[in-house]
Amino acid sequence: MSRQTIYFDHNATTALCPEARQAMLPFFEGEFGNPSSYHHLGRKARASLQASRYGLADIFNCGPGEVVFTSGGTEANNMALRGAAAALRRRGRHIIVSAIEHHSVLKTAEALAASGYDVTFAPVDDQGVVDPQRVAAATRPDTILISVMSANNETGALQPVHELGKLSRRQGIVFHTDAVQAFGKIDLGTVFEWADLVTLASHKIYGPAGAGALLVRNGTPLASVITGGHHERGLRGGTENIAAIAGFAAASLQAVAGLDEKAARIGSLRDRFEARLLEDISGICINSRDARRVHNTSNICFEGVESESVLLHLDLLGICASAGSACTTGEPGPSHVLRAMGLSNMQAQGALRFSLGRSTTAEEVDTVAAALAGIVEKLRSLSSL
Amino acid sequence: MSRQTIYFDHNATTALCPEARQAMLPFFEGEFGNPSSYHHLGRKARASLQASRYGLADIFNCGPGEVVFTSGGTEANNMALRGAAAALRRRGRHIIVSAIEHHSVLKTAEALAASGYDVTFAPVDDQGVVDPQRVAAATRPDTILISVMSANNETGALQPVHELGKLSRRQGIVFHTDAVQAFGKIDLGTVFEWADLVTLASHKIYGPAGAGALLVRNGTPLASVITGGHHERGLRGGTENIAAIAGFAAASLQAVAGLDEKAARIGSLRDRFEARLLEDISGICINSRDARRVHNTSNICFEGVESESVLLHLDLLGICASAGSACTTGEPGPSHVLRAMGLSNMQAQGALRFSLGRSTTAEEVDTVAAALAGIVEKLRSLSSL
Amino acid sequence: MQSEDTDEHCPEDLSADEPAPGEQPPEEPVLFYNETVIDHFTSPRNVGEIDNPDGFALVGDPACGDQMKLWIRVEGGYILDIKFKSFGCPGAIATSSMATMLAMGMHIDDARLLTDDDVVRALGGIPANKEHCSLMGVGALHAAIRDYEQRSSKKL
Amino acid sequence: MQSEDTDEHCPEDLSADEPAPGEQPPEEPVLFYNETVIDHFTSPRNVGEIDNPDGFALVGDPACGDQMKLWIRVEGGYILDIKFKSFGCPGAIATSSMATMLAMGMHIDDARLLTDDDVVRALGGIPANKEHCSLMGVGALHAAIRDYEQRSSKKL
Ligand SMILES: Cc1ncc(COP(=O)(O)O)c(C=O)c1O
Ligand SMILES: Cc1ncc(COP(=O)(O)O)c(C=O)c1O
């Protein structure tokens, strides 16, 4: 990095924490065994895998066998939706997902719709929050699966997943929650009280890319979608990436350690950031401001400017942020999340996401706020609107 | 490792080569960007991903867009079979796979069979080689996909994939080859002359676990099986594991550098190993001995002994080998590959796989051969047969 | 591998926006836009409005992405002044800026012949998926010239 | 989440062979078998055959995995000698060895009461997925005792 980088894009991915790095390095030296191998190198790998599994199980108060490691959040979401849909297809074909899910859920739901399932996309209110009543009203006797994320990646809005999960359980419907953006931000220690399937991703919690997990509550019907050897109890074939999994487990421990304290510290920086912007820049609007949100995320519409132009100016100053979610770089068009909240195309087009993290300082917050004020003024001065 | 380890299990997994490790380390320090992010950290990640992609493309003389990165070999095999089957389901439902495929192909074919496809399992001869005539005879107007591995993981036997690929292309059938065990052992520089889909795995070629690729020849119909963002041209969602991918690309370069020389050196060690065993131990049989085999693999039946007992004795001496494939540790019962070759259950049960690698020395070969002679004698002396 | 099936996802354009095999990928990660584009984006030329212009155009729809306004002053068939304002992405701003720079001082008969390619070339290229943005600057210029001609013919 | 569907892969035994949550995983990677099992595998006790035995049994099928032969010499109802040979996995060899050690010198009425659990306990446990191997040693012992009794009753 040539200049001082300010990283306000922690919802896209995070830097590896030292504990995770430390946990991974042995596997890049001598300990390269395949956990399926009989010999001592294999057993060592197996022991590491088991230790990682127990680490996760401990955090989520579940059985080690309920932790199914995957290559990441997207795969876990696919496994949850495709796997439950396939396992339950004789019981029914109706699936409900919220309109603001991550593409790894939305596109998978669309793929299921194309292959004979019936999918309802549950709407959100103007704060980007799913209305449980609307979901309840949408359930049918043939509803087999409901999937609603715990926290939205673009706005940070927390969803009523406890309520939705309990509603699902009462009706014998499998409930999946994509907790990728919630893990390490809210307490998920009792997640199996309301959810059957829970998606996690390592690289969002200061762990390495290449690992994630689907927590599968015992007894939840689930077909394997990546078939092969008897890995992960037959639910996910493939030689396990024990280095990434060990890093993920180490990062998970850090993610839940002192959670409240971290949330309070980062949350107050986020609030300071928003207060500064509201003070210094006219015509802005904080999305999901009235919703309960995770502590690190600010999604802001700047009237009369186009978000890519802001992003590029920020980038030239070494400031990392994003427009909508990182995954939408390849996808033109305004955010489906903001559109679902009722924002116009033009409003959505001026939206930026700032996601703070462990390394964020008050100084950085002030620097970014000041930079934004200048950039928005400059762009507005040449705007044709 | 407490004692001197002799690793004769390179077909299960390999140690990371220094070049791969070197390529990965930067990502565990500052360069943690998400390739989908707009800012400079994202671009840096994107550039690395692109460099890896070009590296692979160069080796296989294909377009960079024809390289689709996956989390490993199993996922790539699933993508090939499930993806092609879904894309072509209106054209036909008949699929041919060989009886000696890796479980990631076999179990996937079985899953497809359970969901309405018609699967033919092509037999092999007593040398473990698929007969192209039998495959040709099995094709039908509704045959959409043929999948035959390039080299078998248990016996090392090379399969007539050129012939099968050309036969498929003449008939407009998609041809997939699992080249996981062939890459780095035989030249695959012109693989697209006969194959449409090619599976590769990083951890078998001295790269890290967590990366693999499906090479997809332009124009090959393929549906996405892990849906999400627009990663990998929409064929594979999920934040890319750029560290593992960079390690994979670096390892791939090493895998093809000086291939003939390495093959000759390791091949002569393998031949020495087999000669020693034949000399010192009676009642043994080298499987696929008369087939063309990759240079590093010896699969040997020891009459009258059970393979796990041999493995444990070897392990107590620090010698790593395997019975059948590593993936079968969780799976009891004799190898499906040896059974398909016509070996009896009892013969198959006495089979061991020794897979040599870059680090193998003549001294190690002699040590293992001598150890085996002693172990087999000891076990036979207490055998009830 | 041809097919008539509608359900086939056939990624035939797999390598569309990537260089051909054999070409070297950039050694150092580059900015999405080149330096000239960045320069025109951060310091756009000819920004502003012209009071009582001889020609004016409004192109694009802000709801769909970009919008641009362009003013020209014409004397003796020559574009003596040109100004623009733009709501849009960096590509739109930079191509608009470059289009006005190219057109400044030109005879309208020559300016009419300016193409998107001229603008892109003058900028040293823009990313493939941003090429549609380049349509705006030249499109607005041509529209402003048409507007000038209509006004002139009415005056006659 | 109950279901009658046959196509549901319902991994209800997900944590079957793993300790309950909260239990600590082993710090150091352990051998698949414990040291006692390894000892009985590498140095099996009572290996061999007995000429003119009082009881003999052949159990298991080598084609399905393991096979074992067991000989006993009985005097006054006591097992004075016992020998075995085994074709099989380490678990089969070790449990056979331990079964013969336990039975050696026992009265056949007591030996008849020996169970697989006794053998497994004496070995300090064997891996869950290897427990079926422990059936062989005790099974062969019981069969040899039955054989002894048949021969004795014939002699009467
Ligand atoms: C021939 C073959 N195909 C596929 C695989 C699966 O690869 P991975 O373990 O990377 O999923 C293996 C190795 O396990 C293999 O030997
Ligand atoms: C809410 C949410 N779900 C799923 C994912 C996908 O995770 P991954 O990138 O690990 O595939 C992401 C991040 O991209 C996310 O923010």
Side-chain angles (χ1 to χ4, degrees):
Chain A
M1 286 177 267
S2 49
R3 64 180 94 61
Q4 196 64 30
T5 295
I6 299 181
Y7 192 74
F8 273 27
D9 202 13
H10 286 86
N11 285 11
T13 197
T14 53
L16 201 60
C17 65
E19 293 82 1
R21 183 170 42 241
Q22 215 46 48
M24 296 173 75
L25 292 179
F27 303 103
F28 302 137
E29 304 293 336
E31 307 196 4
F32 61 92
N34 183 329
S36 293
S37 289
Y38 188 83
H39 45 70
H40 70 284
L41 285 176
R43 279 194 303 278
K44 212 153 178 178
R46 209 145 63 228
S48 154
L49 184 61
Q50 171 154 314
S52 300
R53 198 183 303 285
Y54 276 68
L56 267 288
D58 217 42
I59 289 170
F60 294 95
N61 290 297
C62 67
E66 295 177 314
V67 178
V68 178
F69 288 115
T70 68
S71 68
T74 295
E75 187 197 314
N77 279 340
N78 272 261
M79 184 187 272
L81 268 72
R82 292 174 187 267
L88 291 162
R89 70 184 185 281
R90 299 235 186 120
R91 195 189 291 173
R93 301 262 168 143
H94 183 235
I95 294 168
I96 305 175
V97 305
S98 92
I100 57 162
E101 295 300 306
H102 186 262
H103 277 125
S104 50
V105 167
L106 273 191
K107 299 282 170 192
T108 304
E110 284 168 16
L112 288 171
S115 72
Y117 291 85
D118 208 352
V119 181
T120 301
F121 296 92
V124 293
D125 62 20
D126 63 1
Q127 294 300 310
V129 176
V130 172
D131 179 356
Q133 316 266 267
R134 300 284 294 267
V135 174
T139 61
R140 314 189 311 210
D142 64 337
T143 306
I144 50 173
L145 174 68
I146 297 178
S147 177
V148 176
M149 66 203 321
S150 294
N152 182 266
N153 45 308
E154 296 190 26
T155 64
L158 291 164
Q159 303 302 320
V161 281
H162 291 70
E163 204 172 334
L164 289 165
K166 291 194 164 155
L167 175 154
S168 302
R169 195 161 293 176
R170 272 197 306 278
Q171 299 187 231
I173 299 166
V174 171
F175 186 71
H176 168 244
T177 191
D178 174 351
V180 164
Q181 294 289 350
F183 186 27
K185 293 171 193 155
I186 60 170
D187 181 22
L188 294 170
T190 56
V191 69
F192 274 163
E193 283 179 11
W194 45 272
D196 301 307
L197 299 168
V198 182
T199 293
L200 308 171
S202 161
H203 72 100
K204 309 280 188 186
I205 57 153
Y206 306 87
L214 185 67
L215 306 181
V216 181
R217 199 165 77 97
N218 265 350
T220 307
L222 198 70
S224 172
V225 298
I226 300 192
T227 38
H230 281 210
H231 312 87
E232 300 297 311
R233 295 178 184 280
L235 281 171
R236 205 286 185 186
T239 301
E240 302 88 343
N241 187 351
I242 44 166
I245 289 171
F248 177 28
S252 297
L253 269 184
Q254 296 303 312
V256 295
L259 179 57
D260 294 345
E261 206 182 300
K262 270 182 285 184
R265 195 184 68 75
I266 299 171
S268 78
L269 289 173
R270 196 266 313 266
D271 294 344
R272 176 192 182 108
F273 179 62
E274 294 183 349
R276 288 286 312 261
L277 293 185
L278 287 168
E279 212 167 288
D280 295 350
I281 312 177
S282 64
I284 73 169
C285 158
I286 297 169
N287 295 309
S288 295
R289 190 183 186 183
D290 298 334
R292 285 171 53 239
R293 285 183 290 162
V294 290
H295 57 260
N296 78 318
T297 309
S298 264
N299 191 302
I300 298 171
C301 284
F302 298 86
E303 248 173 51
V305 299
E306 191 271 344
S307 57
E308 194 198 331
S309 288
V310 184
L311 272 190
L312 181 52
H313 273 300
L314 286 171
D315 185 40
L316 293 169
L317 299 170
I319 299 169
C320 301
S322 88
S325 74
C327 293
T328 52
T329 299
E331 273 163 290
S335 145
H336 68 283
V337 174
L338 301 181
R339 294 289 287 131
M341 291 163 64
L343 271 69
S344 72
N345 256 346
M346 218 172 95
Q347 288 174 307
Q349 218 159 256
L352 285 145
R353 181 186 70 184
F354 304 91
S355 44
L356 284 51
R358 286 183 201 160
S359 59
T360 306
T361 63
E363 205 190 326
E364 288 182 337
V365 160
D366 295 347
T367 304
V368 176
L372 276 169
I375 291 166
V376 170
E377 192 192 329
K378 181 180 172 100
L379 287 172
R380 282 181 181 163
S381 77
L382 68 91
S383 172
S384 58
L385 295 185
Chain B
M1 286 175 270
S2 49
R3 64 181 94 60
Q4 196 63 32
T5 297
I6 298 181
Y7 191 74
F8 273 28
D9 202 14
H10 287 86
N11 285 11
T13 197
T14 52
L16 202 60
C17 65
E19 293 81 3
R21 183 170 41 240
Q22 217 45 48
M24 297 173 74
L25 293 180
F27 303 103
F28 302 137
E29 305 293 336
E31 307 194 7
F32 61 92
N34 183 330
S36 293
S37 290
Y38 188 83
H39 45 71
H40 71 283
L41 284 175
R43 278 193 304 279
K44 212 154 178 177
R46 208 145 64 229
S48 153
L49 184 61
Q50 171 153 314
S52 300
R53 199 184 301 287
Y54 276 68
L56 267 288
D58 216 41
I59 289 171
F60 293 96
N61 291 297
C62 66
E66 295 177 314
V67 178
V68 178
F69 288 115
T70 68
S71 68
T74 295
E75 187 198 312
N77 279 339
N78 272 262
M79 183 187 273
L81 267 73
R82 292 174 187 268
L88 291 162
R89 69 183 185 282
R90 297 234 189 120
R91 195 189 293 172
R93 303 258 168 147
H94 183 234
I95 294 168
I96 305 175
V97 307
S98 91
I100 57 161
E101 295 299 306
H102 187 261
H103 277 123
S104 50
V105 167
L106 273 190
K107 300 281 170 192
T108 304
E110 285 168 17
L112 289 171
S115 71
Y117 291 85
D118 208 353
V119 181
T120 301
F121 297 91
V124 293
D125 62 20
D126 63 1
Q127 294 301 310
V129 176
V130 172
D131 179 355
Q133 316 267 267
R134 299 285 292 267
V135 174
T139 62
R140 314 187 313 210
D142 64 336
T143 306
I144 51 175
L145 173 68
I146 298 179
S147 176
V148 175
M149 66 204 320
S150 294
N152 182 266
N153 44 310
E154 298 190 26
T155 64
L158 292 164
Q159 303 301 319
V161 280
H162 291 70
E163 203 171 336
L164 288 165
K166 293 195 163 153
L167 175 154
S168 303
R169 194 161 294 175
R170 273 196 305 278
Q171 300 187 230
I173 300 167
V174 170
F175 186 70
H176 167 244
T177 192
D178 174 350
V180 164
Q181 294 288 351
F183 185 27
K185 294 171 193 155
I186 59 170
D187 180 22
L188 294 170
T190 56
V191 68
F192 273 164
E193 283 181 12
W194 46 273
D196 301 306
L197 299 167
V198 182
T199 293
L200 308 171
S202 162
H203 73 99
K204 309 280 189 189
I205 59 153
Y206 305 87
L214 186 66
L215 306 180
V216 181
R217 200 165 78 97
N218 266 352
T220 307
L222 198 70
S224 172
V225 298
I226 300 191
T227 38
H230 280 209
H231 313 86
E232 301 296 314
R233 297 178 183 280
L235 280 171
R236 204 288 185 184
T239 301
E240 301 88 344
N241 187 351
I242 45 165
I245 289 171
F248 177 28
S252 297
L253 268 184
Q254 296 304 312
V256 295
L259 179 57
D260 293 346
E261 207 180 300
K262 271 182 283 183
R265 196 184 66 75
I266 299 172
S268 78
L269 289 173
R270 196 265 314 264
D271 294 343
R272 177 193 181 107
F273 179 62
E274 294 184 348
R276 289 288 310 262
L277 293 185
L278 288 169
E279 211 168 287
D280 296 350
I281 312 178
S282 63
I284 72 169
C285 159
I286 297 169
N287 295 308
S288 294
R289 190 183 186 183
D290 298 335
R292 284 172 53 238
R293 286 184 289 163
V294 290
H295 57 259
N296 77 319
T297 309
S298 263
N299 191 301
I300 299 172
C301 284
F302 296 87
E303 247 173 52
V305 298
E306 191 271 344
S307 57
E308 193 198 330
S309 289
V310 183
L311 272 188
L312 180 52
H313 273 300
L314 287 172
D315 185 42
L316 293 168
L317 299 170
I319 299 169
C320 300
S322 88
S325 73
C327 294
T328 53
T329 298
E331 274 165 287
S335 145
H336 69 283
V337 174
L338 301 181
R339 295 288 287 130
M341 292 164 64
L343 271 68
S344 71
N345 256 345
M346 216 170 98
Q347 286 173 308
Q349 216 159 256
L352 285 143
R353 180 186 71 185
F354 304 91
S355 43
L356 284 52
R358 286 184 201 160
S359 59
T360 306
T361 63
E363 205 189 327
E364 288 182 336
V365 160
D366 295 347
T367 305
V368 177
L372 277 168
I375 291 165
V376 170
E377 192 191 328
K378 180 180 172 103
L379 287 171
R380 283 181 179 164
S381 78
L382 69 90
S383 171
S384 59
L385 296 184
Chain C
M1 202 53 52
Q2 294 279 349
S3 167
E4 332 73 324
D5 296 5
T6 53
D7 60 342
E8 292 190 13
H9 170 94
C10 191
E12 281 175 286
D13 56 343
L14 275 182
S15 46
D17 66 46
E18 306 213 3
E23 267 185 58
Q24 280 306 307
E27 276 296 300
E28 285 297 304
V30 288
L31 270 179
F32 198 36
Y33 299 102
N34 70 32
E35 279 181 24
T36 312
V37 177
I38 298 271
D39 177 40
H40 277 264
F41 167 67
T42 53
S43 316
R45 322 297 198 263
N46 306 311
V47 171
E49 309 189 7
I50 298 178
D51 292 333
N52 303 316
D54 299 312
F56 169 76
L58 166 64
V59 298
D61 176 358
C64 304
D66 307 308
Q67 189 205 55
M68 180 183 180
K69 289 179 181 158
L70 188 134
W71 295 260
I72 50 177
R73 198 160 62 75
V74 182
E75 230 166 82
Y78 285 89
I79 299 176
L80 287 200
D81 200 8
I82 180 165
K83 289 256 182 310
F84 82 100
K85 282 197 156 184
S86 171
F87 163 82
C89 71
I93 292 171
T95 53
S96 301
S97 167
M98 180 54 87
T100 61
M101 233 181 92
L102 293 178
M104 180 75 84
M106 259 191 183
H107 193 279
I108 55 167
D109 289 342
D110 295 329
R112 242 193 304 257
L113 299 176
L114 274 179
T115 66
D116 304 326
D117 279 356
D118 296 329
V119 173
V120 170
R121 215 173 304 122
L123 284 169
I126 58 173
N129 61 341
K130 284 285 166 182
E131 261 165 24
H132 65 276
C133 309
S134 69
L135 300 169
M136 193 131 346
V138 169
L141 174 65
H142 292 174
I145 293 173
R146 276 197 304 278
D147 179 51
Y148 159 74
E149 290 173 324
Q150 273 179 350
R151 297 186 196 206
S152 318
S153 64
K154 274 192 204 127
K155 278 190 203 147
L156 289 185
Chain D
M1 202 53 49
Q2 295 278 347
S3 164
E4 332 73 323
D5 294 5
T6 53
D7 59 342
E8 294 188 14
H9 170 94
C10 188
E12 284 178 285
D13 56 344
L14 274 182
S15 47
D17 67 47
E18 306 214 3
E23 268 186 56
Q24 279 306 308
E27 276 298 298
E28 285 295 304
V30 289
L31 270 179
F32 197 37
Y33 300 102
N34 70 31
E35 280 182 23
T36 312
V37 177
I38 298 271
D39 177 40
H40 277 265
F41 167 68
T42 53
S43 315
R45 321 298 198 264
N46 306 310
V47 171
E49 310 189 5
I50 297 178
D51 291 334
N52 303 315
D54 300 311
F56 168 76
L58 164 66
V59 297
D61 177 358
C64 304
D66 307 307
Q67 189 204 56
M68 180 185 181
K69 287 178 180 162
L70 187 135
W71 295 260
I72 51 176
R73 197 160 62 76
V74 183
E75 230 167 81
Y78 285 89
I79 298 176
L80 287 200
D81 199 10
I82 180 164
K83 289 255 180 314
F84 84 99
K85 283 197 156 182
S86 172
F87 163 82
C89 72
I93 292 172
T95 53
S96 300
S97 166
M98 179 55 88
T100 61
M101 233 180 91
L102 292 179
M104 178 76 83
M106 259 191 183
H107 193 278
I108 54 168
D109 290 343
D110 296 328
R112 242 193 306 258
L113 300 176
L114 275 178
T115 64
D116 303 327
D117 279 356
D118 295 329
V119 173
V120 171
R121 214 173 304 121
L123 284 169
I126 59 174
N129 62 341
K130 282 288 168 180
E131 261 165 24
H132 65 276
C133 309
S134 70
L135 301 168
M136 193 129 350
V138 169
L141 175 64
H142 293 173
I145 293 173
R146 278 196 302 278
D147 179 52
Y148 159 74
E149 290 173 323
Q150 275 179 348
R151 295 187 197 205
S152 317
S153 64
K154 274 192 205 132
K155 276 191 203 146
L156 289 182

